[in-house]
Amino acid sequence: MCYSARYAAGAPGFGAGDFIKGNIASMPSKTYNGLSSRLRGLARQDPAVIPSFFRYEFRRRWGGAQDRRLTAGGGAVLPALISLNPTRRCNLRCRMCFQYRRESEIPDTLAWYHADQELPLSAWVNLLDEVAAWRLRQSGPHGPPLPPWSRLLDRLATWRPVVYVTGGEPLLYPQVVELLAAARSRRLLVHLQTNGTLLAGAAPDLASLGLQMVSVSLDGPPEVHDRIRGVPGSFRVRRRARGRIPVGFSPDLPDSLLSPYYLDLAHPFPQECRHLWMACRILPDGSVSPCLHLVMGRITEAPLSRIWNNDHCRSLRRLAAQRLFPGCTRCCYRRFQ
């Protein structure tokens, strides 16, 4: 099981020191699984992001399922979460990660693994400008029709998806601080996922930006974590006060489902994916990928809003609405209860 410690980097009482001190001797006692606790922390920090968080939670819990059932053509309203992968480079070698490891043999079909294919900062900023200007009614040419009240809401606020910055290890991207600053300046809700090994150097910049969430995953006690992550000493995740950093669990399952999850691939978990209707990933070369290494277009060639509901994306959603696939068996984004 993975523990994800989320640091509210801009919250009162937190600063660079919260990222830099000591090894964790035991897991914090406070869990981070409730929507209300997250909203309270974010509201104190930046009330403007609350609509983005509510929209994401609504799409995750209900809206994605509604599109899946009711939109026969495979269309979907704009994504509530956009995952940015500025780099696929990483300084760890995690056993469970699907990253391509044979760097000297990277095929042309996985070009985004080459550092020289990484987009410049200007391309990422152009994407942020696009998504920051999305309107509620802008569901794309093949998206589902929106209800009449959307016109009223459209006058009040833009769509503003959650921006999830990950990788690879995103802190290896040379201009990651500038990228995060650009997202924050557009008042987007930003979540940085890092393996934690480079936080000591980046902490002052991250704290000054006031990021809403910074996540670091832990796989267990130090010896277990380091064995899974493939690099000795990778357990060094820092915090200042025991119990002050909220912790979430992935997968977040009751005890009765943990054994089936890890030991029984044939267990009859719900055969449902909502991810394709609510989120997408942008790879380092600008490729738009809904899952694994499937590519539906590139942001350097077309706006993301157009790619989101192009023929390829709608075709994949129609297939996924009928059944899941072998690669979905333990996907982080499918439902397990």
Side-chain angles (χ1 to χ4, degrees):
M1 177 175 287
C2 173
Y3 304 87
S4 183
R6 290 177 171 86
Y7 297 77
F14 286 84
D18 294 297
F19 297 96
I20 305 177
K21 190 175 181 181
N23 289 338
I24 298 179
S26 62
M27 297 310 302
S29 58
K30 181 181 177 183
T31 59
Y32 192 78
N33 296 324
L35 171 61
S36 60
S37 63
R38 281 179 278 182
L39 285 176
R40 284 196 297 270
L42 288 173
R44 290 193 299 268
Q45 184 178 336
D46 185 359
V49 304
I50 293 179
S52 296
F53 210 108
F54 266 119
R55 187 174 297 115
Y56 169 75
E57 289 290 342
F58 174 79
R59 296 292 301 164
R60 183 176 70 87
R61 295 171 184 267
W62 302 288
Q66 178 178 324
D67 281 358
R68 180 178 178 272
R69 290 194 304 268
L70 302 180
T71 310
V77 299
L78 292 169
L81 182 143
I82 298 175
S83 176
L84 305 186
N85 289 187
T87 183
R88 295 297 277 182
R89 289 174 287 155
C90 189
N91 55 348
L92 298 184
R93 292 295 180 266
C94 304
R95 293 187 176 190
M96 70 293 189
C97 186
F98 61 80
Q99 293 231 128
Y100 198 82
R101 298 300 183 195
R102 297 184 291 277
E103 297 180 1
S104 62
E105 307 172 14
I106 297 176
D108 293 339
T109 53
L110 302 179
W112 50 82
Y113 278 95
H114 293 286
D116 60 0
Q117 296 295 312
E118 293 175 1
L119 292 180
L121 176 65
S122 59
W124 292 112
V125 172
N126 288 340
L127 173 66
L128 293 173
D129 283 335
E130 178 195 347
V131 301
W134 279 351
R135 309 300 294 184
L136 182 62
R137 65 187 176 192
Q138 184 183 348
S139 58
H142 301 288
L146 295 171
W149 49 260
S150 67
R151 296 182 181 179
L152 172 61
L153 294 180
D154 188 42
R155 297 173 184 171
L156 303 178
T158 52
W159 185 254
R160 296 192 183 279
V162 176
V163 175
Y164 179 51
V165 182
T166 180
E169 170 47 51
L171 294 182
L172 288 173
Y173 183 67
Q175 295 177 294
V176 66
V177 173
E178 291 84 353
L179 172 58
L180 296 170
R184 288 292 291 130
S185 69
R186 286 151 180 81
R187 306 200 74 180
L188 295 167
L189 196 164
V190 182
H191 180 181
L192 173 67
Q193 175 72 50
T194 171
N195 61 36
T197 60
L198 303 176
L199 274 177
D205 289 326
L206 298 181
S208 67
L209 289 176
L211 297 185
Q212 288 90 352
M213 287 187 285
V214 177
S215 295
V216 180
S217 296
L218 304 175
D219 300 303
E223 64 278 6
V224 173
H225 178 87
D226 288 0
R227 185 168 67 250
I228 291 175
R229 298 288 165 170
V231 176
S234 59
F235 187 80
R236 300 193 194 100
V237 178
R238 286 84 171 180
R239 68 185 180 94
R240 173 172 292 167
R242 186 185 308 275
R244 293 180 60 193
I245 304 301
V247 173
F249 300 88
S250 179
D252 185 12
L253 296 173
D255 292 347
S256 60
L257 291 179
L258 289 177
S259 291
Y261 178 87
Y262 286 105
L263 302 176
D264 183 4
L265 293 180
H267 185 81
F269 286 112
Q271 295 293 299
E272 181 180 344
C273 170
R274 301 177 184 177
H275 184 72
L276 299 177
W277 283 262
M278 61 162 293
C280 68
R281 181 186 301 266
I282 315 297
L283 297 171
D285 68 340
S287 297
V288 178
S289 176
C291 67
L292 296 179
H293 289 148
L294 297 174
V295 174
M296 303 302 177
R298 297 187 66 197
I299 62 170
T300 54
E301 299 172 358
L304 178 58
S305 59
R306 186 183 304 167
I307 297 171
W308 174 249
N309 272 314
N310 66 15
D311 291 341
H312 301 301
C313 285
R314 290 186 292 117
S315 177
L316 179 62
R317 292 191 193 108
R318 288 196 298 268
L319 288 173
Q322 299 172 27
R323 61 182 176 86
L324 297 184
F325 305 96
C328 305
T329 303
R330 290 297 180 268
C331 174
C332 299
Y333 298 108
R334 64 168 286 187
R335 293 184 61 224
F336 292 101
Q337 60 177 327

